[in-house]
Amino acid sequence: MTDPFGRTISYLRVSVTDRCDLRCFYCMSEDMTFLPKADLLTLEELDRLCSAFVAKGVRKLRLTGGEPLVRRNVMSLVRSLSRHLPTGALRELTMTTNGTQLARFASELRDCGVRRINVSLDTLDEAKFRAITRWGELDKVLAGIEAARAAGLAVKINAVALKNLNEDEIPALIAWAHGKGMAVTLIEVMPMGEIGAGRLDQYVPLSLVRARLAKQFTLTDLDESTGGPARYVRVAETGGTLGFITPMTHNFCESCNRVRITCTGTLHTCLGQEDATDLRKPLRASEDNELLAAAIDRAIGTKPKGHDFIIDRPSVSRHMSVTGG
Ligand code: SAM
């Protein structure tokens, strides 16, 4: 799949549910309304949809959410999608999770061919963790991370940089993760969805965070890429890798290889634009994938050049939990 700007699409992110067991204040409001369960694609339909993308050249598949591990029976989807790994059709099957359910599922993920996962964790301070997630328990996430490491999964920690909240803690978070052999990626807050609060109170540009880190650590730019939007540096003092995802201060659209589908089968070819294509209809209209493949081609043919977020304006009405991170 190649879009009008010559970018090859090889990475699919799938939000398997918009529901989450946490309520991170920058992601959703406390009384978030979730989609009616009846609107969701079944796990079999999600498998068919993902497999159609694999047949069209997707090589990396990330399951996300909401919280992917709260979708009932989600491991049956992971297991069925893993059939594409030994054939080489799929190079990587991975997941982004908040880690709360990992103690239960880590071994099975590894058993299904998952080798690396991203765990979202913005703080190591229990009280701050509760304040950010509204009711989450840090211990559960830390136990989940340990379970994942014990199961042999490589864990990358994703942390959203939050003004006046975890800014001062970022060096400690990096030292902690790198001390355990885990890479870290920092993310800028994006103006996605109405959350009942101003984004300017949350946003801190990563250019500033990086400048501060550079006073304490020796950062060396790396060429390496994991197929995602992050730019990486090596931290000499810890020996670990640090990524920066900077949708606000530096957009990375020129190398975008990604599209996203929601749990209702809507395809979004850009995280930061309102473009949407319904794939549920063609999926359900016939048992073969001809209509579906045509709808996918049409959507890829209109993938926007890039996003243009403005921090104090909700640029996109969808919450991150709908499209998946
Ligand atoms: N529940 C899973 C998790 O926590 O990783 C997967 C979905 S969550 C929406 C994916 C990532 O998006 C998390 O790292 C979360 O912190 C991040 N996120 C949510 N809303 C965001 C926003 N408005 N700007 C930047 N990142 C956001």
Side-chain angles (χ1 to χ4, degrees):
M1 294 179 284
T2 305
D3 78 0
F5 304 95
R7 298 170 296 192
T8 301
I9 309 305
S10 57
Y11 185 178
L12 177 67
R13 296 188 178 203
V14 187
S15 176
V16 297
T17 174
D18 64 327
R19 285 164 201 260
C20 191
D21 52 351
L22 301 179
R23 290 287 181 282
C24 298
F25 74 95
Y26 56 82
C27 185
M28 51 176 97
S29 63
E30 190 162 7
D31 58 350
M32 177 81 176
T33 314
F34 295 107
L35 294 163
K37 282 195 178 149
D39 287 0
L40 265 57
L41 295 185
T42 64
L43 293 174
E44 291 73 21
E45 286 173 325
L46 277 171
D47 179 277
R48 197 180 136 206
L49 194 47
C50 292
S51 300
F53 274 94
V54 172
K56 292 184 77 55
V58 158
R59 296 289 168 261
K60 178 170 174 177
L61 193 60
R62 177 178 300 280
L63 302 182
T64 175
E67 172 47 41
L69 292 176
V70 301
R71 170 102 193 224
R72 208 167 159 187
N73 241 339
V74 71
M75 291 310 300
S76 69
L77 175 65
V78 181
R79 195 164 286 283
S80 68
L81 289 172
S82 72
R83 73 184 180 283
H84 298 301
L85 290 168
T87 65
L90 197 58
R91 290 201 195 110
E92 184 170 20
L93 178 59
T94 185
M95 183 174 276
T96 298
T97 172
N98 62 27
T100 59
Q101 314 291 318
L102 266 180
R104 194 166 146 215
F105 292 115
S107 297
E108 206 176 342
L109 284 169
R110 167 84 199 186
D111 192 47
C112 290
V114 174
R115 294 291 173 263
R116 302 188 297 175
I117 55 169
N118 291 351
V119 178
S120 303
L121 178 62
D122 304 326
T123 179
L124 291 171
D125 179 302
E126 217 174 310
K128 279 187 189 174
F129 186 79
R130 206 164 307 118
I132 292 171
T133 62
R134 291 198 173 101
W135 58 61
E137 292 166 43
L138 178 64
D139 282 355
K140 248 181 161 180
V141 175
L142 296 180
I145 291 171
E146 285 314 314
R149 295 176 66 229
L153 294 170
V155 176
K156 179 159 75 68
I157 301 296
N158 280 347
V160 176
L162 298 163
K163 190 170 173 179
N164 298 330
L165 238 173
N166 66 356
E167 279 179 278
D168 57 340
E169 211 198 315
I170 288 173
L173 189 67
I174 293 169
W176 168 80
H178 286 181
K180 290 178 181 290
M182 302 186 291
V184 178
T185 293
L186 303 174
I187 305 171
E188 284 174 341
V189 164
M190 289 173 264
M192 297 194 61
E194 193 44 67
I195 51 162
R199 292 287 181 188
L200 279 173
D201 299 336
Q202 307 170 352
Y203 172 65
V204 51
L206 285 186
S207 47
L208 181 64
V209 173
R210 184 177 168 149
R212 286 186 198 143
L213 286 171
K215 289 187 185 150
Q216 185 170 345
F217 294 124
T218 317
L219 310 177
T220 313
D221 285 314
L222 297 175
D223 282 337
E224 84 188 44
S225 156
T226 54
R231 282 148 204 271
Y232 291 96
V233 299
R234 167 93 50 223
V235 180
E237 289 74 6
T238 61
T241 305
L242 175 64
F244 296 90
I245 300 186
T246 54
M248 305 305 302
T249 50
H250 187 287
N251 95 20
F252 32 71
C253 306
E254 67 281 357
S255 60
C256 184
N257 58 355
R258 297 171 289 286
V259 293
R260 295 168 157 88
I261 48 178
T262 69
C263 55
T264 55
T266 302
L267 172 64
H268 297 289
T269 57
C270 178
L271 180 66
Q273 300 276 2
E274 293 287 2
D275 77 289
T277 300
D278 174 29
L279 296 181
R280 185 172 56 182
K281 210 166 165 197
L283 180 82
R284 289 183 174 168
S286 79
E287 276 179 18
D288 70 46
N289 284 352
E290 218 169 289
L291 291 172
L292 180 61
I296 294 172
D297 286 342
R298 274 196 303 277
I300 300 293
T302 59
K303 182 172 161 71
K305 190 168 181 201
H307 68 256
D308 202 8
F309 286 128
I310 298 169
I311 194 61
D312 55 354
R313 234 183 274 163
S315 315
V316 178
S317 58
R318 304 184 305 270
H319 291 85
M320 194 73 166
S321 55
V322 173
T323 330

